[in-house]
Amino acid sequence: MKKVRVSAPGKLMLLGEHAVVYDRPCLVTTIDTRVDVVLEKLRQKRIVINAPEVGIKSYQRTLAQPPLEKVPKGVRFLEAVLQIFYKRYRPKFGVNLNTSNGFSSKYGLGSSSAVSVCAATALAEVFKIKLSKRKIFDLAYQAVLEVQGLGSGFDVAACCYGGCLYFRTAGKVIKPLKNCKIPLVVAYSGKKADTPFMVKTLAKKREKNFSKIEKDFDQIGRLVEEGKKVIEDKNWLRLGQLMNANQKILQELGVSTSRLDKMIKAALTAGAWGAKLSGSGGGDCMLALVQKQRKHQVEQALVVAGGVLVPVSTGVEGVKVE
Ligand code: MEV
């Protein structure tokens, strides 16, 4: 029976995290580490999933079987995509689905959204259903929302469209940037972030301190608007300043950590143009914008500050059938 291999890239938030949950824009880039999904159409009416990197070996159910009450954590995103797809397009056959991950899911580089986008694309391909990028985005974003209950969808859009994007909440605007090659050094802070927890914590703060936090989000929105232009102009000096200004607000909002702060300070002292956390905060990765001549010094400083370097290049192709 027909078999396809589909891959999708990881992502990094450049500017605008958290504010993008509240109807402001953000800037996101894809990175050159990819998730792979191999999907085979089965004669039987069964779903079989193997996802070794998240501890899933031979997860099985029949098509008619309602989803388990407690779906194992490692298959939640895939199950959500499968259920939406089967309900919407009613294919008659089952599938065997195998995932492999080019980057650790603990880094917060978007493995859940990448796997969801790959699965939606692979299902459409084997069942010969023509889906536009927008339709794949909508399907995978709906799955992510069903599992997580929240999220702007910027990571799903990055996987679908590739490159660097100017993105507005729920995909109201998805605009590719002209330049995508950004000289970044990325390092992991040693702790996996809990994005839903970070978003909910900030939501509570926002309720209590509405006008102050709305002002912060407006300011982040302005940084993003300028960021879009300076990235296209390759004005790295200014982009660095915008990153620093964004980090200052994120710190005030309470989403940075002492390890992230230490790493960011180390990168700036070693000569980076700018540095900030990337994503929800509370852990995961930081990024530094660095000229070639300083790259080595910045990398060394980040390691001394306790970071784990994650070599990346930016602005790669979105989801593709291999
Ligand atoms: C998490 O990587 C980024 C947030 O803005 C959440 C989201 O946009 O879904 C905090």
Side-chain angles (χ1 to χ4, degrees):
M1 294 291 261
K2 188 166 175 169
K3 190 173 181 176
V4 290
R5 175 186 291 273
V6 176
S7 77
K11 56 79 195 157
L12 280 170
M13 180 72 92
L14 295 168
L15 290 172
E17 47 272 271
H18 288 290
V20 67
V21 178
Y22 300 94
D23 218 17
R24 273 71 169 193
C26 75
L27 294 171
V28 55
T29 179
T30 48
I31 51 173
D32 59 338
T33 44
R34 300 183 80 85
V35 161
D36 257 314
V37 167
V38 176
L39 188 141
E40 188 180 11
K41 188 165 146 187
L42 297 176
R43 277 182 215 289
Q44 305 91 319
K45 294 180 185 294
R46 291 195 78 70
I47 300 289
V48 183
I49 301 176
N50 283 289
E53 65 285 352
V54 285
I56 300 296
K57 207 170 164 239
S58 277
Y59 166 90
Q60 298 206 28
R61 68 170 171 87
T62 64
L63 282 189
Q65 208 173 330
L68 300 175
E69 203 140 276
K70 244 186 166 297
V71 177
K73 204 165 173 229
V75 293
R76 280 190 305 179
F77 289 91
L78 289 171
E79 266 291 22
V81 171
L82 285 162
Q83 278 162 35
I84 297 166
F85 188 89
Y86 272 82
K87 201 164 164 199
R88 201 170 287 172
Y89 302 106
R90 305 205 168 277
K92 297 213 166 29
F93 298 99
V95 287
N96 182 351
L97 208 150
N98 290 276
T99 71
S100 64
N101 211 337
F103 52 90
S104 167
S105 58
K106 75 180 182 195
Y107 287 174
L109 300 175
S111 54
S112 310
S113 44
V115 130
S116 306
V117 168
C118 284
T121 307
L123 284 163
E125 185 73 19
V126 294
F127 291 115
K128 297 198 172 68
I129 292 166
K130 267 214 152 335
L131 293 184
S132 61
K133 278 194 197 306
R134 181 72 214 196
K135 285 238 158 79
I136 297 280
F137 168 81
D138 289 337
L139 198 162
Y141 181 41
Q142 187 185 335
V144 168
L145 283 182
E146 278 177 17
V147 176
Q148 283 190 174
L150 47 85
S152 65
F154 82 102
D155 41 2
V156 180
C159 292
C160 288
Y161 293 84
C164 288
L165 301 175
Y166 171 92
F167 175 90
R168 203 173 259 274
T169 323
K172 272 178 234 156
V173 183
I174 302 177
K175 236 178 152 189
L177 266 60
K178 282 188 211 102
N179 168 44
C180 278
K181 294 295 167 207
I182 304 172
L184 291 181
V185 170
V186 178
Y188 176 59
S189 67
K191 186 178 164 209
K192 183 168 168 44
D194 181 345
T195 298
F197 172 79
M198 295 305 290
V199 173
K200 282 180 201 154
T201 306
L202 193 51
K204 280 188 204 139
K205 270 194 191 165
R206 178 171 169 266
E207 267 170 37
K208 280 198 198 132
N209 215 340
F210 187 78
S211 61
K212 160 82 177 79
I213 291 185
E214 280 293 291
K215 266 189 204 145
D216 287 340
F217 287 165
D218 283 341
Q219 180 54 20
I220 291 176
R222 283 191 283 274
L223 298 175
V224 169
E225 296 297 343
E226 192 184 343
K228 175 179 179 293
K229 189 176 172 315
V230 302
I231 289 174
E232 291 190 326
D233 294 345
K234 299 189 186 168
N235 183 350
W236 305 135
L237 184 64
R238 183 66 189 144
L239 181 61
Q241 291 166 349
L242 299 178
M243 285 167 64
N244 293 339
N246 195 162
Q247 173 61 19
K248 192 160 176 276
I249 302 173
L250 291 167
Q251 225 176 8
E252 282 166 14
L253 291 171
V255 297
S256 198
T257 64
S258 51
R259 171 68 66 87
L260 283 165
D261 288 345
K262 190 173 170 195
M263 290 162 68
I264 288 163
K265 194 167 169 212
L268 293 173
T269 309
W273 279 305
K276 66 180 278 291
L277 66 83
S278 177
S280 62
D284 282 352
C285 290
M286 54 73 69
L287 36 95
L289 189 68
V290 184
Q291 54 189 298
K292 231 193 195 148
Q293 303 87 303
R294 297 276 163 83
K295 192 171 178 213
H296 185 61
Q297 277 146 270
V298 171
E299 284 177 341
Q300 277 186 324
L302 282 171
V303 171
V304 172
V308 178
L309 297 174
V310 185
V312 296
S313 69
T314 61
V316 303
E317 198 181 343
V319 65
K320 64 176 175 198
V321 179
E322 302 282 349

